[in-house]
Amino acid sequence: MQEDEPELDKIYLDENGKKYKIVHKTRILPRKTYLYGRFKGKFWAELNELKDQEYKNEKFYDFTIYEIKVIDTEYQFIPFNLENVTPFPRERLPELILIQRKEDGKEYAVNILEPQIEIAPFNRKHQQVEGNEAFGTIEGKITGYLLDFIEENYSEPVYIQEREHIEYPITIPALSKTLLPTGNVEINDNYKRIEYFYSDFNTKYWSNWKYIKSPRSSIQTGCVSNLFGILSIILFIIFLIAALPNFGVLLPFILLPILIRFLPDVVWKWLFRILGGILVFAFLFAIINSINESTNNPLPKPVVNSSDTKPQYTPITDTLNNKKIYDTLIVHFRHWKDYDGNNYSGKFWVKKSDFANANSYKNNLDIIGNTEFSYDKIIYSLKENDKENLNGIYHLFDSLKLAGNLSPSKLAEVIVSFVQDIPYTVVLPNACDPALYSDDFIRNYLASANSRCDGYEKFGINTPVEFMATLFGDCDTRTLFIYTVLSHYGYDVVLLSSEFYNHSLIGINLPYEGITYTYHSQRYVLWETTAQNIRPGILPEEVSNLNYWRISLKSK
């Protein structure tokens, strides 16, 4: 290698002797700018009847701030802290919030992400109550962050794949004769031969010489001879019809070879041309008709089966005391198939109070940072909070296991195929707007016609209880749910994450074949969860480099 060779073309060797190059790349990174300020706004509130019945002496309202303006705004790149944070869902604030710059007083409409609010004491003079609704003005402090993207240049090694060159023997297939004529014919006295193609339709061969009637025979003799032959045939056919009427069905088979004998070659040549033209016309007509049918008859719409029905909301009743308990079951019915085509179905449920608890716990989880450690801590906390609130799911799989006498491997397949059958939904921390995200997959997915999105979910993930309540889940939502359920049944399972691929997988210590991840001599077969009918041990090539995967959670 020459000394003046450019760096991009240099080839290096690592400690194992593998060749690699240094590649310079550019990536887009998100940047958070935190803001803090005082706000004034207008609110509308509705009486929470559930809490109103539970607490007789107090009134509880669900607030929505529909107009807000932030003043005395300050900015920095680290979060601001408020003393008394009031839990307030992002969807109950305007999508764009008006802020006023402290320096010049100019106003801008921005999307404040993950806002936290400290509400000042209410002034009852500025409130109005009408029935179960309340209106008024509200003041307080607010913090959150604005998201933009910066460009970063970096370098990374790229290994050179060296493939062994294998020479395979070239086999030339033997040519065979066909009966397709080239159109060339030779006649020599009373003999004739025809030229045909070989099977490559390029090489040609001649047939053997065949004797033909002398071309010097008089036309009169030929006609008279043919006439007597045809009259004899007609008389013979009349005799057969008169004497043997039951054998009339055999006449076409008797007549056809006789006609073949007496018809000239020219007639046969034109007859075959006409038949060929009819066949070509019929073929073209069939193609045109097929195109018209495909155009006029679009593919049928998919049948909506029981798996696609909306959830049912069933109030909980104390059957012993015939007393209504102030909670509700969110009930779903699913029907799916495992990898062998076996059908499974059943109802499952989560409590509405557990759903609210999971959502509140996630929104108030105070884990700051965008590191691998913080992500692992987030999913561990969500799993621990929800694992005892999935009895409706455990009951479904318990009944299937008992009814089918399922082995450990079969039960794992039933659980994972159940999740794979649920339609994919991308879960995002902000609005479902492609312009807000630098990830190519998210932007392209949101721009597609049939995309499904669950926006304004903190950390961009749904907890196991939230997933079973809404059936909205992407890769890490699904793997966290499967990890929680398989851990409940005592499996040795891991949840693997890849910041490089921005993806999540399940690994399970069962005797499956396929791609595995080895950790401390334990063999974990990798399992993709975002699409139907993907068996364990099979990964798409674009996420198959195991060097980019790590274990975030481990059950044993």
Side-chain angles (χ1 to χ4, degrees):
M1 188 166 58
Q2 300 179 358
E3 293 183 359
D4 58 348
E5 187 178 359
E7 182 182 355
L8 290 177
D9 295 331
K10 287 184 180 180
I11 298 177
Y12 302 90
L13 294 176
D14 64 7
E15 63 272 11
N16 298 319
K18 294 184 178 180
K19 297 180 180 180
Y20 67 93
K21 291 183 178 182
I22 299 297
V23 178
H24 299 292
K25 296 183 178 181
T26 301
R27 59 188 170 196
I28 305 298
L29 297 176
R31 179 176 62 180
K32 296 181 179 179
T33 303
Y34 291 88
L35 61 82
Y36 166 83
R38 295 184 296 108
F39 75 88
K40 294 182 179 180
K42 298 179 181 179
F43 75 87
W44 165 79
E46 184 178 21
L47 184 66
N48 188 321
E49 296 182 357
L50 189 63
K51 289 188 176 180
D52 183 58
Q53 295 175 1
E54 185 175 356
Y55 302 95
K56 298 297 184 180
N57 298 323
E58 299 289 342
K59 296 291 184 182
F60 290 87
Y61 289 87
D62 293 326
F63 279 81
T64 297
I65 301 177
Y66 61 91
E67 183 178 312
I68 187 171
K69 179 179 179 181
V70 183
I71 59 176
D72 297 335
T73 313
E74 300 178 11
Y75 302 91
Q76 61 187 31
F77 291 108
I78 59 175
F80 291 92
N81 291 321
L82 298 179
E83 295 180 359
N84 299 310
V85 177
T86 302
F88 208 92
R90 177 63 179 83
E91 60 270 18
R92 293 185 176 272
L93 292 173
E95 183 172 354
L96 294 178
I97 296 176
L98 194 65
I99 66 172
Q100 185 180 69
R101 288 183 51 172
K102 193 173 183 179
E103 298 82 1
D104 53 14
K106 293 184 178 180
E107 296 180 352
Y108 301 90
V110 299
N111 181 18
I112 299 179
L113 305 176
E114 296 187 16
Q116 298 184 30
I117 291 178
E118 179 181 336
I119 299 176
F122 282 97
N123 187 342
R124 296 192 176 275
K125 295 180 179 180
H126 300 156
Q127 297 182 33
Q128 180 179 355
V129 178
E130 294 182 3
N132 291 336
E133 296 182 343
F135 306 88
T137 58
I138 189 171
E139 297 181 5
K141 301 175 183 178
I142 186 171
T143 183
Y145 66 86
L146 308 177
L147 183 67
D148 64 345
F149 299 93
I150 58 175
E151 188 175 278
E152 178 185 78
N153 298 319
Y154 68 101
S155 301
E156 68 175 17
V158 175
Y159 284 88
I160 300 173
Q161 300 291 334
E162 296 183 355
R163 297 187 178 182
E164 181 182 358
H165 178 68
I166 303 176
E167 292 187 358
Y168 296 93
I170 300 175
T171 303
I172 301 176
L175 297 179
S176 59
K177 293 181 178 181
T178 72
L179 295 179
L180 182 66
T182 65
N184 296 327
V185 178
E186 288 187 354
I187 298 176
N188 186 5
D189 292 333
N190 294 338
Y191 292 89
K192 181 178 72 171
R193 68 175 182 174
I194 302 173
E195 188 180 45
Y196 295 96
F197 284 110
Y198 274 100
S199 56
D200 63 351
F201 298 102
N202 185 31
T203 312
K204 307 169 186 176
Y205 74 95
W206 288 96
S207 68
N208 296 327
W209 290 99
K210 291 185 179 181
Y211 176 79
I212 59 174
K213 187 182 292 185
S214 174
R216 293 187 295 272
S217 300
S218 66
I219 297 176
Q220 182 179 2
T221 304
C223 289
V224 173
S225 175
N226 289 340
L227 179 61
F228 278 110
I230 294 173
L231 289 175
S232 299
I233 293 170
I234 294 173
L235 291 174
F236 180 70
I237 292 173
I238 294 173
F239 169 76
L240 287 177
I241 295 174
L244 303 170
N246 293 332
F247 294 95
V249 70
L250 300 177
L251 288 181
F253 301 98
I254 299 173
L255 182 61
L256 184 60
I258 298 174
L259 291 176
I260 291 175
R261 179 182 175 185
F262 288 100
L263 288 176
D265 291 339
V266 176
V267 174
W268 285 112
K269 183 186 294 185
W270 281 102
L271 182 61
F272 279 119
R273 288 179 179 178
I274 294 171
L275 290 175
I278 293 173
L279 291 175
V280 171
F281 176 78
F283 178 71
L284 293 176
F285 177 78
I287 292 177
I288 295 172
N289 186 56
S290 176
I291 294 174
N292 288 336
E293 287 183 357
S294 63
T295 304
N296 297 329
N297 299 312
L299 292 174
K301 296 181 179 179
V303 177
V304 178
N305 56 30
S306 57
S307 296
D308 302 316
T309 55
K310 294 182 179 180
Q312 297 178 351
Y313 297 92
T314 305
I316 300 177
T317 304
D318 184 351
T319 55
L320 294 178
N321 302 313
N322 195 22
K323 179 181 177 183
K324 183 178 178 181
I325 303 174
Y326 292 104
D327 206 343
T328 301
L329 296 182
I330 304 174
V331 184
H332 290 274
F333 180 88
R334 299 292 300 173
H335 175 273
W336 75 99
K337 294 183 179 180
D338 65 7
Y339 309 118
D340 298 322
N342 300 315
N343 289 289
Y344 297 91
S345 62
K347 290 184 178 181
F348 60 92
W349 50 263
V350 294
K351 291 182 180 179
K352 191 174 181 180
S353 59
D354 291 337
F355 176 40
N357 169 269
N359 184 260
S360 176
Y361 179 82
K362 179 179 70 175
N363 289 332
N364 290 285
L365 191 60
D366 188 18
I367 300 177
I368 301 175
N370 193 23
T371 65
E372 295 177 355
F373 175 77
S374 61
Y375 175 79
D376 296 349
K377 188 175 180 182
I378 289 169
I379 59 176
Y380 173 80
S381 302
L382 298 180
K383 183 264 298 185
E384 286 295 302
N385 184 69
D386 280 17
K387 66 181 183 180
E388 302 299 331
N389 296 329
L390 295 170
N391 293 328
I393 314 302
Y394 300 148
H395 177 75
L396 170 64
F397 293 130
D398 287 342
S399 61
L400 294 177
K401 178 183 178 182
L402 182 63
N405 193 23
L406 302 179
S407 65
S409 296
K410 198 63 181 177
L411 177 61
E413 293 175 14
V414 169
I415 293 171
V416 177
S417 61
F418 163 82
V419 175
Q420 290 175 337
D421 183 74
I422 298 173
Y424 179 88
T425 302
V426 65
V427 182
L428 299 173
N430 305 313
C432 297
D433 183 358
L436 295 176
Y437 304 95
S438 60
D439 186 271
D440 290 337
F441 168 77
I442 294 178
R443 286 171 22 182
N444 294 334
Y445 179 79
L446 291 178
S448 62
N450 298 320
S451 63
R452 294 162 54 97
C453 177
D454 183 17
Y456 295 116
E457 295 292 349
K458 190 173 182 180
F459 307 124
I461 188 173
N462 278 327
T463 75
V465 168
E466 288 179 313
F467 182 36
M468 289 296 98
T470 64
L471 300 185
F472 292 155
D474 52 9
C475 60
D476 47 3
T477 297
R478 293 164 181 261
T479 53
L480 181 58
F481 169 79
I482 294 174
Y483 176 87
T484 305
V485 175
L486 292 179
S487 300
H488 169 80
Y489 286 105
Y491 287 91
D492 184 7
V493 62
V494 294
L495 189 153
L496 294 106
S497 305
S498 172
E499 283 70 29
F500 180 82
Y501 292 132
N502 195 21
H503 197 41
S504 180
L505 295 172
I506 282 294
I508 192 165
N509 185 9
L510 285 176
Y512 291 120
E513 299 295 330
I515 301 175
T516 60
Y517 188 95
T518 303
Y519 180 78
H520 289 179
S521 301
Q522 294 294 323
R523 177 179 175 273
Y524 294 95
V525 181
L526 302 186
W527 214 335
E528 173 64 52
T529 66
T530 58
Q532 290 181 331
N533 299 322
I534 299 183
R535 294 177 178 267
I538 299 175
L539 285 186
E541 184 177 355
E542 54 268 23
V543 296
S544 60
N545 190 336
L546 299 185
N547 294 323
Y548 293 121
W549 289 96
R550 64 179 185 84
I551 293 179
S552 292
L553 296 178
K554 189 175 185 300
S555 64
K556 292 185 178 181

